[in-house]
Protein backbone atom coordinates (compact mmCIF):
# COMPACT_ATOMS: atom_id res chain seq x y z
CA UNK A 1 0.00 0.00 0.00
CA UNK A 2 1.19 3.51 -0.67
CA UNK A 3 2.38 5.31 2.41
CA UNK A 4 0.26 8.42 1.73
CA UNK A 5 -2.93 6.40 1.82
CA UNK A 6 -1.97 4.88 5.12
CA UNK A 7 -1.45 8.26 6.70
CA UNK A 8 -4.70 9.61 5.27
CA UNK A 9 -6.59 6.71 6.73
CA UNK A 10 -4.94 7.28 10.05
CA UNK A 11 -5.98 10.89 10.02
CA UNK A 12 -9.62 9.94 9.52
CA UNK A 13 -9.54 7.36 12.27
CA UNK A 14 -8.11 9.82 14.79
CA UNK A 15 -11.07 12.20 14.44
CA UNK A 16 -13.61 11.82 17.20
CA UNK A 17 -17.20 10.95 16.39
CA UNK A 18 -18.40 14.54 16.63
CA UNK A 19 -15.75 15.76 14.20
CA UNK A 20 -16.80 13.00 11.85
CA UNK A 21 -20.43 14.14 11.95
CA UNK A 22 -19.43 17.75 11.35
CA UNK A 23 -17.16 16.89 8.46
CA UNK A 24 -19.89 14.86 6.84
CA UNK A 25 -22.40 17.70 7.29
CA UNK A 26 -20.01 20.22 5.78
CA UNK A 27 -19.14 17.91 2.90
CA UNK A 28 -22.81 17.34 2.14
CA UNK A 29 -23.58 21.04 2.38
CA UNK A 30 -26.04 20.66 5.23
CA UNK A 31 -24.57 23.85 6.72
CA UNK A 32 -22.23 26.45 5.23
CA UNK A 33 -20.55 27.19 8.50
CA UNK A 34 -20.84 25.51 11.86
CA UNK A 35 -21.98 27.13 15.07
CA UNK A 36 -21.63 25.57 18.51
CA UNK A 37 -22.61 26.90 21.90
CA UNK A 38 -22.04 26.48 25.60
CA UNK A 39 -25.43 26.81 27.33
CA UNK A 40 -25.01 26.94 31.11
CA UNK A 41 -27.91 27.48 33.44
CA UNK A 42 -26.79 30.30 35.77
CA UNK A 43 -27.61 28.34 38.91
CA UNK A 44 -24.12 27.60 40.24
CA UNK A 45 -20.42 27.77 39.49
CA UNK A 46 -18.90 25.86 36.60
CA UNK A 47 -16.81 22.76 37.24
CA UNK A 48 -14.26 20.65 35.39
CA UNK A 49 -17.05 18.81 33.56
CA UNK A 50 -18.29 22.10 32.16
CA UNK A 51 -14.71 22.92 31.16
CA UNK A 52 -14.82 19.86 28.97
CA UNK A 53 -18.02 21.02 27.32
CA UNK A 54 -16.72 24.58 26.87
CA UNK A 55 -13.42 23.50 25.36
CA UNK A 56 -15.07 20.90 23.16
CA UNK A 57 -17.59 23.36 21.74
CA UNK A 58 -15.15 26.21 21.41
CA UNK A 59 -12.48 23.91 19.98
CA UNK A 60 -14.81 22.64 17.27
CA UNK A 61 -15.80 26.17 16.29
CA UNK A 62 -12.13 27.02 15.88
CA UNK A 63 -11.22 23.82 14.09
CA UNK A 64 -13.93 24.31 11.48
CA UNK A 65 -13.72 28.07 11.25
CA UNK A 66 -17.19 28.48 12.70
CA UNK A 67 -18.83 30.40 15.51
CA UNK A 68 -19.13 29.84 19.23
CA UNK A 69 -21.94 31.22 21.38
CA UNK A 70 -22.07 31.63 25.11
CA UNK A 71 -25.73 31.40 26.00
CA UNK A 72 -27.23 31.53 29.43
CA UNK A 73 -30.05 29.06 29.57
CA UNK A 74 -32.01 31.14 32.05
CA UNK A 75 -35.53 29.82 31.59
CA UNK A 76 -36.03 28.64 35.17
CA UNK A 77 -36.00 31.65 37.48
CA UNK A 78 -36.17 29.68 40.77
CA UNK A 79 -32.46 29.00 41.17
CA UNK A 80 -30.84 31.51 38.89
CA UNK A 81 -28.78 34.51 39.95
CA UNK A 82 -26.75 37.32 38.42
CA UNK A 83 -23.82 36.32 40.63
CA UNK A 84 -23.60 33.07 38.69
CA UNK A 85 -23.81 34.81 35.33
CA UNK A 86 -20.76 36.85 36.25
CA UNK A 87 -18.72 33.96 37.57
CA UNK A 88 -19.54 31.83 34.53
CA UNK A 89 -18.41 34.54 32.14
CA UNK A 90 -15.16 34.92 34.07
CA UNK A 91 -14.54 31.17 34.03
CA UNK A 92 -15.25 30.72 30.33
CA UNK A 93 -12.97 33.65 29.53
CA UNK A 94 -10.24 32.29 31.77
CA UNK A 95 -10.33 28.96 29.96
CA UNK A 96 -9.64 30.85 26.76
CA UNK A 97 -12.96 30.28 25.00
CA UNK A 98 -13.75 33.53 23.20
CA UNK A 99 -17.39 34.18 22.39
CA UNK A 100 -16.56 37.61 20.92
CA UNK A 101 -19.88 39.46 20.68
CA UNK A 102 -21.93 36.27 20.74
CA UNK A 103 -23.27 36.43 24.28
CA UNK A 104 -26.92 35.46 24.53
CA UNK A 105 -29.63 34.95 27.09
CA UNK A 106 -32.45 32.48 26.53
CA UNK A 107 -34.73 34.89 28.37
CA UNK A 108 -34.29 37.35 25.49
CA UNK A 109 -36.24 34.88 23.38
CA UNK A 110 -39.30 34.60 25.62
CA UNK A 111 -41.41 36.50 23.09
CA UNK A 112 -40.29 34.24 20.28
CA UNK A 113 -40.94 31.16 22.37
CA UNK A 114 -44.40 32.40 23.14
CA UNK A 115 -45.00 32.94 19.41
CA UNK A 116 -43.63 29.45 18.72
CA UNK A 117 -46.13 27.98 21.18
CA UNK A 118 -48.95 29.82 19.43
CA UNK A 119 -47.76 28.46 16.10
CA UNK A 120 -47.97 24.92 17.49
CA UNK A 121 -51.46 25.56 18.87
CA UNK A 122 -52.59 26.88 15.49
CA UNK A 123 -51.19 23.77 13.79
CA UNK A 124 -53.15 21.63 16.24
CA UNK A 125 -49.89 20.48 17.79
CA UNK A 126 -50.31 21.85 21.29
CA UNK A 127 -53.10 22.15 23.82
CA UNK A 128 -53.82 23.59 27.22
CA UNK A 129 -54.28 20.85 29.79
CA UNK A 130 -55.99 21.24 33.18
CA UNK A 131 -54.79 18.00 34.74
CA UNK A 132 -52.78 18.39 37.92
CA UNK A 133 -49.11 17.44 37.94
CA UNK A 134 -49.99 14.17 39.70
CA UNK A 135 -52.68 13.35 37.16
CA UNK A 136 -50.34 14.10 34.28
CA UNK A 137 -47.88 11.65 35.77
CA UNK A 138 -50.61 9.06 36.21
CA UNK A 139 -51.84 9.46 32.62
CA UNK A 140 -48.32 9.24 31.28
CA UNK A 141 -48.10 5.46 31.66
CA UNK A 142 -44.84 3.58 32.23
CA UNK A 143 -42.02 2.05 30.25
CA UNK A 144 -44.18 -1.02 29.66
CA UNK A 145 -47.63 0.58 29.46
CA UNK A 146 -48.76 3.26 27.03
CA UNK A 147 -50.17 6.51 28.39
CA UNK A 148 -53.79 7.68 28.28
CA UNK A 149 -55.01 10.75 26.44
CA UNK A 150 -55.77 13.75 28.58
CA UNK A 151 -59.49 14.67 28.54
CA UNK A 152 -58.36 18.16 27.41
CA UNK A 153 -56.41 16.85 24.44
CA UNK A 154 -59.04 17.67 21.85
CA UNK A 155 -59.81 21.23 22.79
CA UNK A 156 -60.36 23.45 19.78
CA UNK A 157 -57.60 25.69 18.47
CA UNK A 158 -59.66 28.75 19.49
CA UNK A 159 -60.14 27.55 23.03
CA UNK A 160 -56.43 26.71 23.32
CA UNK A 161 -55.42 30.12 22.00
CA UNK A 162 -57.73 31.82 24.46
CA UNK A 163 -56.60 29.78 27.45
CA UNK A 164 -52.92 30.10 26.61
CA UNK A 165 -53.26 33.86 26.33
CA UNK A 166 -55.00 33.93 29.67
CA UNK A 167 -52.22 31.80 31.15
CA UNK A 168 -49.83 34.48 29.95
CA UNK A 169 -52.04 37.25 31.34
CA UNK A 170 -51.82 35.80 34.82
CA UNK A 171 -55.40 34.63 35.17
CA UNK A 172 -54.45 31.23 36.53
CA UNK A 173 -52.67 30.03 39.62
CA UNK A 174 -49.34 28.21 39.46
CA UNK A 175 -49.81 24.55 38.64
CA UNK A 176 -53.40 24.81 37.47
CA UNK A 177 -52.83 24.74 33.73
CA UNK A 178 -50.01 23.82 31.38
CA UNK A 179 -49.46 23.86 27.65
CA UNK A 180 -48.58 20.45 26.24
CA UNK A 181 -47.23 19.34 22.90
CA UNK A 182 -49.68 17.03 21.15
CA UNK A 183 -47.52 14.16 20.01
CA UNK A 184 -48.30 10.55 20.93
CA UNK A 185 -49.46 9.17 24.29
CA UNK A 186 -48.57 5.67 23.13
CA UNK A 187 -45.01 6.46 22.06
CA UNK A 188 -42.45 3.99 23.44
CA UNK A 189 -40.40 7.09 24.33
CA UNK A 190 -42.05 8.66 27.39
CA UNK A 191 -40.61 12.07 26.48
CA UNK A 192 -42.90 12.05 23.46
CA UNK A 193 -46.09 11.45 25.43
CA UNK A 194 -47.46 14.96 25.15
CA UNK A 195 -44.69 16.66 27.15
CA UNK A 196 -45.44 19.87 29.04
CA UNK A 197 -43.90 22.81 27.17
CA UNK A 198 -45.15 25.79 29.20
CA UNK A 199 -46.11 26.16 32.83
CA UNK A 200 -47.58 28.93 34.95
CA UNK A 201 -45.13 30.26 37.53
CA UNK A 202 -45.66 33.65 39.15
CA UNK A 203 -42.00 34.37 39.71
CA UNK A 204 -39.60 37.24 39.24
CA UNK A 205 -36.93 36.56 36.66
CA UNK A 206 -33.45 38.02 37.18
CA UNK A 207 -33.58 39.62 33.74
CA UNK A 208 -37.21 39.94 32.68
CA UNK A 209 -38.56 40.87 36.11
CA UNK A 210 -42.29 40.28 36.37
CA UNK A 211 -43.04 40.49 32.64
CA UNK A 212 -43.79 36.79 32.44
CA UNK A 213 -45.76 34.44 34.62
CA UNK A 214 -45.44 31.53 32.22
CA UNK A 215 -42.10 29.91 31.53
CA UNK A 216 -41.09 27.41 28.82
CA UNK A 217 -39.81 23.96 29.76
CA UNK A 218 -36.23 23.01 28.93
CA UNK A 219 -37.06 20.52 26.15
CA UNK A 220 -39.12 23.11 24.32
CA UNK A 221 -36.90 26.11 24.98
CA UNK A 222 -33.53 24.61 24.18
CA UNK A 223 -34.09 23.66 20.52
CA UNK A 224 -35.71 27.05 19.92
CA UNK A 225 -32.72 28.84 21.45
CA UNK A 226 -30.38 26.84 19.23
CA UNK A 227 -32.46 27.47 16.12
CA UNK A 228 -32.81 31.22 16.73
CA UNK A 229 -29.05 31.57 17.11
CA UNK A 230 -28.24 29.49 14.06
CA UNK A 231 -26.50 26.82 16.10
CA UNK A 232 -25.76 23.86 13.85
CA UNK A 233 -24.47 21.23 16.26
CA UNK A 234 -26.06 21.27 19.68
CA UNK A 235 -23.71 19.17 21.76
CA UNK A 236 -24.99 17.91 25.09
CA UNK A 237 -24.44 15.03 27.47
CA UNK A 238 -25.80 11.50 27.22
CA UNK A 239 -28.76 11.86 29.54
CA UNK A 240 -30.44 13.87 26.79
CA UNK A 241 -30.24 11.08 24.25
CA UNK A 242 -33.86 10.06 24.90
CA UNK A 243 -34.92 13.67 24.51
CA UNK A 244 -33.51 13.95 20.99
CA UNK A 245 -36.76 12.87 19.24
CA UNK A 246 -38.51 15.72 21.05
CA UNK A 247 -35.74 18.15 20.10
CA UNK A 248 -36.16 17.10 16.48
CA UNK A 249 -39.95 17.32 16.75
CA UNK A 250 -39.78 20.91 18.03
CA UNK A 251 -37.47 22.20 15.31
CA UNK A 252 -39.41 20.31 12.63
CA UNK A 253 -42.87 21.48 13.71
CA UNK A 254 -41.65 25.05 14.01
CA UNK A 255 -40.30 24.75 10.47
CA UNK A 256 -36.86 26.23 10.97
CA UNK A 257 -35.05 26.30 7.62
CA UNK A 258 -31.67 24.89 8.79
CA UNK A 259 -32.58 23.05 11.95
CA UNK A 260 -29.79 22.36 14.44
CA UNK A 261 -28.98 18.77 15.35
CA UNK A 262 -28.37 17.43 18.80
CA UNK A 263 -25.31 15.24 19.45
CA UNK A 264 -24.67 13.58 22.79
CA UNK A 265 -21.35 12.70 24.42
CA UNK A 266 -20.41 11.16 27.77
CA UNK A 267 -20.01 13.39 30.81
CA UNK A 268 -16.62 13.75 32.35
CA UNK A 269 -16.34 12.18 35.77
CA UNK A 270 -13.25 12.24 37.97
CA UNK A 271 -12.29 9.72 40.62
CA UNK A 272 -12.19 10.90 44.23
CA UNK A 273 -13.70 14.30 43.65
CA UNK A 274 -17.17 15.73 43.65
CA UNK A 275 -18.21 17.03 40.22
CA UNK A 276 -21.99 17.51 40.25
CA UNK A 277 -23.21 21.04 40.88
CA UNK A 278 -25.64 19.63 43.39
CA UNK A 279 -22.94 18.00 45.53
CA UNK A 280 -20.62 20.97 45.36
CA UNK A 281 -23.52 23.11 46.50
CA UNK A 282 -24.15 20.77 49.42
CA UNK A 283 -20.52 20.95 50.55
CA UNK A 284 -20.61 24.74 50.31
CA UNK A 285 -23.94 25.13 52.08
CA UNK A 286 -23.02 22.76 54.88
CA UNK A 287 -19.81 24.70 55.43
CA UNK A 288 -17.66 21.64 54.80
CA UNK A 289 -15.59 23.68 52.37
CA UNK A 290 -14.62 27.33 52.29
CA UNK A 291 -16.93 28.46 49.49
CA UNK A 292 -17.33 27.57 45.82
CA UNK A 293 -13.65 28.11 45.18
CA UNK A 294 -12.28 26.02 48.01
CA UNK A 295 -9.10 24.56 46.47
CA UNK A 296 -10.26 21.01 47.20
CA UNK A 297 -13.17 21.35 44.83
CA UNK A 298 -13.04 21.04 41.07
CA UNK A 299 -15.14 24.04 40.25
CA UNK A 300 -13.22 26.13 37.74
CA UNK A 301 -12.88 28.89 40.32
CA UNK A 302 -11.42 26.36 42.77
CA UNK A 303 -8.97 24.96 40.23
CA UNK A 304 -7.84 28.50 39.46
CA UNK A 305 -7.41 29.30 43.14
CA UNK A 306 -5.53 26.05 43.66
CA UNK A 307 -3.10 27.08 40.92
CA UNK A 308 -4.19 25.14 37.87
CA UNK A 309 -3.66 26.92 34.56
CA UNK A 310 -5.98 27.07 31.54
CA UNK A 311 -3.25 25.29 29.56
CA UNK A 312 -3.25 22.37 31.99
CA UNK A 313 -7.02 22.02 31.82
CA UNK A 314 -6.98 22.20 28.04
CA UNK A 315 -4.35 19.46 27.97
CA UNK A 316 -6.40 17.36 30.36
CA UNK A 317 -9.58 17.69 28.32
CA UNK A 318 -7.62 16.78 25.20
CA UNK A 319 -6.24 13.65 26.84
CA UNK A 320 -9.71 12.63 28.04
CA UNK A 321 -11.03 12.62 24.49
CA UNK A 322 -14.69 12.53 23.54
CA UNK A 323 -16.72 9.40 23.88
CA UNK A 324 -20.21 7.93 23.99
CA UNK A 325 -19.51 5.73 27.02
CA UNK A 326 -19.57 7.00 30.59
CA UNK A 327 -16.39 6.43 32.57
CA UNK A 328 -14.32 8.05 35.31
CA UNK A 329 -10.96 9.62 34.68
CA UNK A 330 -8.21 9.26 37.27
CA UNK A 331 -7.65 12.51 39.18
CA UNK A 332 -3.92 11.77 38.82
CA UNK A 333 -4.23 12.57 35.13
CA UNK A 334 -5.29 16.12 35.99
CA UNK A 335 -2.29 16.34 38.30
CA UNK A 336 -0.04 15.03 35.57
CA UNK A 337 -1.24 17.82 33.28
CA UNK A 338 -0.53 20.65 35.70
CA UNK A 339 2.86 19.23 36.61
CA UNK A 340 3.81 19.01 32.95
CA UNK A 341 2.62 22.55 32.36
CA UNK A 342 4.49 24.13 35.28
CA UNK A 343 7.68 22.08 35.16
CA UNK A 344 9.52 24.26 32.68
CA UNK A 345 7.72 27.53 33.32
CA UNK A 346 8.11 28.12 37.03
CA UNK A 347 11.15 28.88 39.18
CA UNK A 348 12.28 26.32 41.70
CA UNK A 349 12.48 28.08 45.03
CA UNK A 350 13.56 27.27 48.57
CA UNK A 351 10.79 26.82 51.11
CA UNK A 352 10.93 24.88 54.35
CA UNK A 353 7.56 23.58 55.43
CA UNK A 354 8.42 21.90 58.74
CA UNK A 355 11.40 23.87 59.98
CA UNK A 356 14.16 23.08 62.46
CA UNK A 357 17.03 25.46 63.00
CA UNK A 358 20.49 24.66 61.68
CA UNK A 359 23.43 26.62 63.19
CA UNK A 360 26.77 26.70 61.38
CA UNK A 361 29.10 27.11 64.33
CA UNK A 362 32.16 28.18 62.33
CA UNK A 363 30.36 30.71 60.13
CA UNK A 364 31.05 34.36 60.95
CA UNK A 365 28.48 35.90 63.27
CA UNK A 366 26.18 38.45 61.62
CA UNK A 367 27.45 37.88 58.10
CA UNK A 368 25.02 37.45 55.21
CA UNK A 369 26.25 36.49 51.75
CA UNK A 370 24.31 36.10 48.52
CA UNK A 371 24.67 32.90 46.54
CA UNK A 372 23.63 32.12 42.98
CA UNK A 373 20.80 29.70 42.40
CA UNK A 374 19.54 28.62 38.98
CA UNK A 375 15.80 29.22 38.63
CA UNK A 376 15.00 26.06 36.71
CA UNK A 377 17.45 23.26 36.08
CA UNK A 378 15.53 22.10 33.01
CA UNK A 379 15.04 25.53 31.52
CA UNK A 380 18.10 27.77 31.55
CA UNK A 381 16.21 30.64 30.01
CA UNK A 382 14.62 31.32 33.40
CA UNK A 383 18.04 32.55 34.58
CA UNK A 384 19.24 32.61 38.14
CA UNK A 385 18.77 34.58 41.31
CA UNK A 386 20.67 35.47 44.48
CA UNK A 387 19.67 33.86 47.72
CA UNK A 388 20.85 35.03 51.13
CA UNK A 389 22.86 32.69 53.32
CA UNK A 390 23.96 33.13 56.93
CA UNK A 391 24.98 31.46 60.14
CA UNK A 392 21.48 30.35 61.05
CA UNK A 393 19.28 28.53 58.61
CA UNK A 394 16.09 26.51 58.62
CA UNK A 395 16.02 23.04 57.19
CA UNK A 396 13.22 20.46 57.01
CA UNK A 397 12.81 18.53 60.23
CA UNK A 398 12.82 15.31 58.25
CA UNK A 399 16.27 16.15 56.87
CA UNK A 400 17.90 15.45 60.23
CA UNK A 401 17.94 12.17 62.13
CA UNK A 402 19.66 11.45 65.36
CA UNK A 403 19.94 7.76 64.50
CA UNK A 404 19.70 7.32 60.74
CA UNK A 405 18.27 4.21 59.14
CA UNK A 406 20.17 2.51 56.33
CA UNK A 407 20.39 4.53 53.12
CA UNK A 408 19.62 7.83 54.87
CA UNK A 409 22.04 10.31 53.34
CA UNK A 410 20.82 13.53 54.86
CA UNK A 411 21.90 15.11 58.18
CA UNK A 412 22.97 12.99 61.09
CA UNK A 413 25.84 13.45 63.50
CA UNK A 414 29.16 13.06 61.72
CA UNK A 415 27.70 13.11 58.20
CA UNK A 416 28.57 15.62 55.51
CA UNK A 417 25.80 16.91 53.24
CA UNK A 418 25.41 19.59 50.61
CA UNK A 419 23.28 22.62 51.34
CA UNK A 420 21.77 23.20 47.94
CA UNK A 421 23.56 25.93 45.95
CA UNK A 422 25.65 26.76 49.06
CA UNK A 423 28.30 24.78 50.97
CA UNK A 424 29.14 21.33 52.22
CA UNK A 425 28.48 21.08 55.95
CA UNK A 426 29.19 18.38 58.49
CA UNK A 427 26.75 17.72 61.28
CA UNK A 428 28.40 18.10 64.66
CA UNK A 429 25.54 17.78 67.14
CA UNK A 430 22.03 18.83 68.14
CA UNK A 431 19.92 20.15 71.02
CA UNK A 432 16.68 18.75 72.39
CA UNK A 433 13.94 20.13 74.62
CA UNK A 434 12.57 18.39 77.70
CA UNK A 435 10.15 16.40 75.54
CA UNK A 436 12.92 14.99 73.42
CA UNK A 437 12.13 17.14 70.35
CA UNK A 438 15.09 18.35 68.34
CA UNK A 439 15.29 22.15 68.63
CA UNK A 440 18.62 22.98 66.97
CA UNK A 441 21.03 21.08 64.75
CA UNK A 442 24.67 22.10 64.73
CA UNK A 443 27.21 21.80 61.94
CA UNK A 444 30.40 23.28 60.54
CA UNK A 445 30.92 24.36 56.97
CA UNK A 446 33.83 24.05 54.62
CA UNK A 447 34.47 27.56 53.21
CA UNK A 448 36.26 25.95 50.23
CA UNK A 449 33.01 24.48 48.93
CA UNK A 450 31.04 27.61 47.98
CA UNK A 451 28.44 26.66 45.36
CA UNK A 452 28.26 23.13 46.72
CA UNK A 453 31.31 21.30 45.39
CA UNK A 454 34.55 20.33 47.07
CA UNK A 455 37.81 21.31 45.32
CA UNK A 456 39.25 17.89 46.22
CA UNK A 457 36.33 16.22 44.45
CA UNK A 458 35.10 14.36 47.52
CA UNK A 459 31.57 13.05 47.13
CA UNK A 460 28.61 13.73 49.38
CA UNK A 461 25.44 11.82 48.71
CA UNK A 462 22.80 14.01 50.30
CA UNK A 463 21.65 17.46 49.20
CA UNK A 464 19.14 19.34 51.31
CA UNK A 465 17.37 22.64 50.91
CA UNK A 466 17.34 25.47 53.44
CA UNK A 467 16.44 29.10 53.95
CA UNK A 468 18.36 31.82 55.75
CA UNK A 469 16.72 32.33 59.15
CA UNK A 470 17.39 36.06 59.32
CA UNK A 471 16.04 36.84 55.85
CA UNK A 472 13.36 34.20 55.38
CA UNK A 473 9.69 35.13 55.24
CA UNK A 474 7.19 33.35 57.40
CA UNK A 475 4.42 31.68 55.40
CA UNK A 476 1.44 29.41 55.71
CA UNK A 477 1.16 26.40 53.43
CA UNK A 478 -1.96 24.39 52.80
CA UNK A 479 -1.68 20.82 51.68
CA UNK A 480 -4.60 18.98 50.16
CA UNK A 481 -5.80 15.48 49.65
CA UNK A 482 -8.84 14.37 47.71
CA UNK A 483 -12.04 15.33 49.45
CA UNK A 484 -13.52 11.87 49.02
CA UNK A 485 -11.70 8.63 49.59
CA UNK A 486 -13.18 6.59 46.81
CA UNK A 487 -11.58 3.36 47.89
CA UNK A 488 -13.72 3.51 51.00
CA UNK A 489 -16.80 4.35 48.93
CA UNK A 490 -18.24 7.67 47.83
CA UNK A 491 -21.25 7.46 50.16
CA UNK A 492 -21.80 6.41 53.74
CA UNK A 493 -24.63 4.09 54.66
CA UNK A 494 -26.90 7.03 55.50
CA UNK A 495 -26.36 8.47 52.02
CA UNK A 496 -24.05 11.27 53.13
CA UNK A 497 -20.74 11.83 51.35
CA UNK A 498 -17.82 9.86 52.74
CA UNK A 499 -15.46 12.76 53.30
CA UNK A 500 -11.72 12.36 53.77
CA UNK A 501 -10.93 13.93 57.17
CA UNK A 502 -7.39 14.72 55.97
CA UNK A 503 -8.36 16.65 52.90
CA UNK A 504 -6.80 19.84 54.30
CA UNK A 505 -3.58 20.23 56.32
CA UNK A 506 -2.56 23.74 57.34
CA UNK A 507 1.12 24.35 58.10
CA UNK A 508 1.42 27.70 59.81
CA UNK A 509 5.14 27.92 60.54
CA UNK A 510 6.76 27.58 57.18
CA UNK A 511 9.71 29.69 56.02
CA UNK A 512 10.34 30.69 52.44
CA UNK A 513 13.32 32.42 50.87
CA UNK A 514 13.28 36.22 50.74
CA UNK A 515 12.82 36.24 46.96
CA UNK A 516 9.15 35.48 47.54
CA UNK A 517 8.66 39.09 48.62
CA UNK A 518 6.14 40.63 46.24
CA UNK A 519 4.56 37.32 45.23
CA UNK A 520 0.97 37.96 44.21
CA UNK A 521 -2.25 36.01 44.13
CA UNK A 522 -2.16 33.14 41.61
CA UNK A 523 1.66 33.29 41.20
CA UNK A 524 3.02 29.78 41.30
CA UNK A 525 6.38 28.22 42.04
CA UNK A 526 8.10 24.94 42.48
CA UNK A 527 9.15 24.45 46.08
CA UNK A 528 12.24 22.25 46.12
CA UNK A 529 11.17 18.68 46.86
CA UNK A 530 7.74 19.71 48.17
CA UNK A 531 5.77 20.31 45.01
CA UNK A 532 4.20 23.16 43.10
CA UNK A 533 2.54 25.90 45.14
CA UNK A 534 0.34 28.87 44.32
CA UNK A 535 -0.25 32.09 46.26
CA UNK A 536 -3.77 31.93 47.69
CA UNK A 537 -6.03 34.61 46.29
CA UNK A 538 -8.21 34.98 49.38
CA UNK A 539 -5.93 34.87 52.33
CA UNK A 540 -2.39 35.72 51.29
CA UNK A 541 -1.00 39.12 52.38
CA UNK A 542 2.36 40.64 51.41
CA UNK A 543 3.54 40.29 55.02
CA UNK A 544 1.85 36.92 55.64
CA UNK A 545 2.05 34.79 52.53
CA UNK A 546 -0.31 31.85 52.13
CA UNK A 547 0.39 29.12 49.60
CA UNK A 548 -1.78 26.31 48.27
CA UNK A 549 -0.07 23.15 47.20
CA UNK A 550 -1.19 22.53 43.64
CA UNK A 551 0.42 19.14 43.31
CA UNK A 552 3.37 17.18 44.64
CA UNK A 553 6.36 16.59 42.39
CA UNK A 554 6.09 12.90 41.81
CA UNK A 555 3.40 10.40 41.02
CA UNK A 556 3.11 6.83 39.92
CA UNK A 557 0.62 7.95 37.29
CA UNK A 558 1.32 6.80 33.74
CA UNK A 559 -0.41 8.22 30.70
CA UNK A 560 -2.88 5.71 29.31
CA UNK A 561 -1.90 4.46 25.85
P1 LIG B 1 -24.40 19.39 36.83
O1 LIG B 1 -24.68 18.04 36.24
O2 LIG B 1 -23.06 19.53 37.44
O3 LIG B 1 -25.50 19.90 37.71
P2 LIG B 1 -25.60 20.71 34.62
O4 LIG B 1 -25.60 19.79 33.46
O5 LIG B 1 -26.85 20.87 35.39
O6 LIG B 1 -24.38 20.37 35.58
P3 LIG B 1 -25.69 23.03 32.98
O7 LIG B 1 -25.48 24.44 33.36
O8 LIG B 1 -27.06 22.60 32.59
O9 LIG B 1 -25.17 22.16 34.19
O10 LIG B 1 -24.65 22.57 31.89
C1 LIG B 1 -24.12 23.33 30.86
C2 LIG B 1 -23.47 22.40 29.86
O11 LIG B 1 -22.40 21.67 30.46
C3 LIG B 1 -24.44 21.36 29.33
O12 LIG B 1 -24.32 21.33 27.92
C4 LIG B 1 -23.99 20.08 29.97
O13 LIG B 1 -24.27 18.98 29.16
C5 LIG B 1 -22.50 20.30 30.15
N1 LIG B 1 -21.97 19.49 31.25
C6 LIG B 1 -22.40 19.48 32.54
N2 LIG B 1 -21.71 18.58 33.28
C7 LIG B 1 -20.81 18.01 32.45
C8 LIG B 1 -19.80 17.00 32.61
N3 LIG B 1 -19.59 16.41 33.79
N4 LIG B 1 -19.07 16.67 31.53
C9 LIG B 1 -19.26 17.28 30.35
N5 LIG B 1 -20.19 18.22 30.12
C10 LIG B 1 -20.96 18.60 31.14
MG1 LIG C 1 -28.57 21.02 34.02
Amino acid sequence: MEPEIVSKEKEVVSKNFIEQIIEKDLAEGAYDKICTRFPPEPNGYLHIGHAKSILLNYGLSQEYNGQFNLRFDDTNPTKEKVEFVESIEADVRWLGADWEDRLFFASDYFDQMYEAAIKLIKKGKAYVCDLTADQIREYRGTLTEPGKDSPYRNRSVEENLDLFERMKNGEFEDGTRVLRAKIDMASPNINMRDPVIYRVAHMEHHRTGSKWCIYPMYDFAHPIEDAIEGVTHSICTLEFEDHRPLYDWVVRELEYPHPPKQIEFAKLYLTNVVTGKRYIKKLVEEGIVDGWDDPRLVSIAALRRRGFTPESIRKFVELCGVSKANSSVDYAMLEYCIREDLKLKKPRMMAVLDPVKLVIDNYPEGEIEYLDAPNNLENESLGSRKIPFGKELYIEREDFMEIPPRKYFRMFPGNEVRLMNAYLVTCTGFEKDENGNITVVHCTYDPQTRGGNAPDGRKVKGTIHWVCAEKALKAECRLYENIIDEEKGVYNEDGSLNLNPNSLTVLKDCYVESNFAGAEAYDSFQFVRNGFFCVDSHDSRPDALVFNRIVSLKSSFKLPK
Side-chain angles (χ1 to χ4, degrees), residues 38-41 47 49-50 53 235-237 265 267-268 275-277:
F38 176 63
E41 190 183 348
H47 54 63
H50 296 115
S53 174
I235 300 166
C236 64
T237 43
F265 72 103
K267 272 196 171 180
L268 169 66
T275 30
K277 228 185 251 172

Side-chain angles (χ1 to χ4, degrees), residues 67-104:
Q67 285 175 319
F68 169 74
N69 298 356
L70 173 61
R71 178 208 312 145
F72 287 97
D73 197 350
D74 56 350
T75 55
N76 177 10
T78 27
K79 295 175 261 164
E80 295 164 3
K81 285 201 255 169
V82 176
E83 176 198 348
F84 296 131
V85 170
E86 287 165 359
S87 78
I88 289 171
E89 283 186 34
D91 289 348
V92 176
R93 198 173 290 121
W94 180 76
L95 282 171
D98 183 2
W99 62 85
E100 297 170 7
D101 57 352
R102 306 187 62 82
L103 172 66
F104 302 108

Side-chain angles (χ1 to χ4, degrees), residues 337-351:
C337 292
I338 185 64
R339 217 181 266 122
E340 286 297 303
D341 185 42
L342 299 181
K343 207 165 67 178
L344 299 180
K345 289 187 192 163
K346 300 297 171 180
R348 188 177 73 154
M349 311 278 281
M350 304 269 235

Side-chain angles (χ1 to χ4, degrees), residues 350 369-373 385-389 421 466 513 515:
M350 304 269 235
E369 63 180 307
Y370 286 83
L371 301 168
D372 284 317
R385 66 188 187 283
K386 298 277 185 197
I387 40 179
F389 182 86
N421 303 314
W466 50 272
E513 66 174 89
N515 291 308

Side-chain angles (χ1 to χ4, degrees), residues 181-219:
K182 192 170 179 178
I183 310 180
D184 178 7
M185 288 308 291
S187 170
N189 183 337
I190 295 184
N191 295 305
M192 299 297 273
R193 295 183 188 167
D194 292 8
V196 173
I197 59 177
Y198 256 98
R199 68 204 160 107
V200 178
H202 292 265
M203 267 185 296
E204 285 275 317
H205 185 280
H206 69 105
R207 283 174 64 87
T208 58
S210 55
K211 176 171 176 193
W212 296 92
C213 63
I214 53 171
Y215 291 96
M217 303 302 285
Y218 178 89
D219 282 339

